Amino acid sequence: MIAPNNKWLINALLVGLIPVLDRLLMWAATTADQVHPFAASDLVTLGLVFHLLTLEQAARMLLNTLSTLFITCYGVLYTLVILSERNTELIDVPFVLTISATLCVGSTAFGLIISQITKQRQ
């Protein structure tokens, strides 16, 4: 049987990966590189899901503050991605993709740490 903390992590990962998997499916189904296989907006969504679910799980003020900070960063990144779709010269898309990927790694690590902390309390 899967522990409740692991269920949370699995659910967060599955829900957060939906945009990434959708884009990969679109990329595989299209021709002539019309769709890029990875986009910052998908990684931002993954990070937002992790932190929104972490906010629900977190019991301490510091954890809520960290989650809120990450959510704010993801909101800014998402705005930059939307702006880059309207004006490709305005935003450095590879930089935003790098920052998004870095934040997603941090979000995943944060989620794992929260999962272990809550697991030890039970």
Side-chain angles (χ1 to χ4, degrees), residues 5-23:
N5 291 330
N6 292 338
K7 284 182 185 178
W8 169 84
L9 185 62
I10 291 168
N11 288 336
L13 186 61
L14 290 176
V15 170
L17 281 176
I18 289 172
V20 175
L21 296 175
D22 285 348
R23 181 173 297 275

Side-chain angles (χ1 to χ4, degrees), residues 24-102:
L24 286 173
L25 180 62
M26 286 188 294
W27 172 73
T30 58
T31 59
D33 295 328
Q34 295 294 320
V35 176
H36 297 288
F38 295 101
S41 59
D42 301 335
L43 298 175
V44 167
T45 302
L46 175 61
L48 279 169
V49 167
F50 268 113
H51 283 285
L52 288 171
L53 291 176
T54 299
L55 206 66
E56 293 175 9
Q57 295 286 326
R60 296 184 179 190
M61 181 80 157
L62 176 63
L63 298 178
N64 286 339
T65 302
L66 285 174
S67 288
T68 303
L69 179 65
F70 271 94
I71 290 167
T72 302
C73 290
Y74 282 118
V76 169
L77 286 172
Y78 199 75
T79 302
L80 291 173
V81 169
I82 291 170
L83 284 173
S84 73
E85 291 175 0
R86 300 289 277 161
N87 185 351
T88 56
E89 297 173 1
L90 183 63
I91 305 296
D92 183 5
V93 175
F95 176 74
V96 173
L97 181 60
T98 302
I99 295 300
S100 299
T102 303

